Amino acid sequence: MDSKAEEANRQTRVTILDVASAAGVSKSTVSRILDERLPRSDNETARRVRKIADDMGYVRDVSAASLRRGSTMTVGVIVPRLTDTVMAMLYESLAKACSKSGRFAIVATTDDKPKADRLAAESLLKRGVDGLILSTAREDDDFPDELLARRVPFVLALRTDGRSLSSIGDDRLGGYLATRHLLDLGHRRIGVVAGPSYASSALGRVEGYRQALDEAGVSVCPDCIVPSTFGIDAGADAAEQLMRLEDRPTAIFAVNDNTAIGALSGLSRLGISVPNDVSVVGYNDIPIVSHLPTPLTTLRVPFEQIASNALDLLASGAISADDRIRVSAPTLIPRKSSAKPRT
């Protein structure tokens, strides 16, 4: 758009003052009624103002409002990759939560590489985001400390370093529920596709697995815990490794639905039937798993609650020490991939 067109656009744009004049109310009244961040008024004046604004073609000037507030009303979201359905679900939940409060979410991906985290953060901060939500925290990385030292507002989501503001699922509880479910069915030899050791989510789920076995008086077999990535191929490789054990498991708990899908594929290649020969439990309840030929038993993660908590923490600033890490409970969703072991 050239300068003349821009000037014409400014001259013809309907403003709050125009709406206020047409409605016969004050500018502040119109501003309050049309501010989507505030509770929606439904009295006669509010309905009339909204109708007049719609009829006049009023569009809220986000940039001007941001300048007045000293913020851009944008949130930067950093995820490993959007091809991972879990991360896509988190981002969509964050975008939806942002929309409810008049904010906008911008996403950057890192392929789960620490150096890429820093580049993504710098890129988003240069675009003026008001804060960052990161789902890429690693046990061996001090990036959150760097952000804290720079006074960059940020919150960790799904994964935590145990210190920073975080909104996560109760991974230990989820791992416990998955393993308890298999124990209740009668399984005693339970393998784990354990995920990466740098992700607190994976570590928590394995801790829950160990807790359930310990409570049941079942010894943990070190060979039954197989590290992996969060990818499908890694799940297949891990399941095949478990099936090569001399005393192979009768059930597998995969700490991520992608690795569970991979495990199903690997077992199929070996001619092993699920759940007749081996039961499989996943984690996250991504949409596809309920539509598999053998629908997957899994743990449902409350992504919307995690997103809402993350945004609340980001906006809160200084909060009490016991509220720095908000934990949302998962729910066990039993389906056909888990059954009693063969006797």
Side-chain angles (χ1 to χ4, degrees), residues 185-187 250 276-277 339-343:
L185 288 172
H187 296 278
T250 62
N276 294 330
D277 300 321
K340 294 180 179 180
R342 285 183 173 179
T343 56

Side-chain angles (χ1 to χ4, degrees), residues 157-271:
L158 293 186
R159 303 182 198 169
T160 182
D161 61 3
R163 306 181 305 277
S164 304
L165 296 179
S166 307
S167 177
I168 59 174
D170 193 334
D171 296 301
R172 185 174 185 133
L173 173 63
Y176 177 88
L177 292 175
T179 310
R180 184 73 258 174
H181 168 69
L182 292 169
L183 288 166
D184 289 345
L185 288 172
H187 296 278
R188 291 297 178 269
R189 184 81 169 172
I190 302 171
V192 180
V193 182
S197 61
Y198 59 75
S200 66
S201 53
L203 294 174
R205 293 164 197 176
V206 174
E207 288 174 3
Y209 158 84
R210 291 178 178 274
Q211 178 187 350
L213 290 183
D214 183 61
E215 285 185 7
V218 177
S219 299
V220 176
C221 164
D223 290 340
C224 288
I225 303 175
V226 181
S228 69
T229 68
F230 283 131
I232 292 175
D233 289 342
D237 293 342
E240 291 177 10
Q241 181 176 331
L242 287 168
M243 291 301 102
R244 287 195 294 269
L245 294 175
E246 183 175 351
D247 186 10
R248 72 186 195 185
T250 62
I252 295 174
F253 167 41
V255 302
N256 172 280
D257 281 345
N258 282 338
T259 52
I261 291 170
L264 292 173
S265 174
L267 294 171
S268 178
R269 283 202 298 266
L270 295 174

Side-chain angles (χ1 to χ4, degrees), residues 142-154:
D142 58 1
F143 185 45
D145 295 329
E146 294 175 18
L147 292 174
L148 185 64
R150 293 171 56 187
R151 297 186 177 180
V152 173
F154 74 95

Side-chain angles (χ1 to χ4, degrees), residues 2-81:
D2 60 29
S3 58
K4 289 183 178 179
E6 288 178 353
E7 180 64 26
N9 182 56
R10 283 194 293 269
Q11 292 175 351
T12 58
R13 176 179 291 168
V14 177
T15 68
I16 282 182
L17 281 173
D18 296 327
V19 177
S21 177
V25 297
S26 68
K27 175 184 173 183
S28 61
T29 296
V30 174
S31 178
R32 185 173 61 254
I33 291 170
L34 299 182
D35 191 337
E36 66 272 18
R37 296 170 302 151
L38 300 176
R40 184 180 175 87
S41 299
D42 197 34
N43 55 45
E44 183 179 348
T45 299
R47 291 193 295 270
R48 182 164 57 84
V49 167
R50 282 195 291 268
K51 184 177 188 310
I52 289 171
D54 288 342
D55 291 344
M56 295 179 71
Y58 170 76
V59 177
R60 182 166 172 265
D61 189 339
V62 176
S63 60
S66 296
L67 285 172
R68 289 193 297 271
R69 288 190 298 267
S71 70
T72 61
M73 297 299 287
T74 57
V75 175
V77 180
I78 301 178
V79 300
R81 57 190 67 83

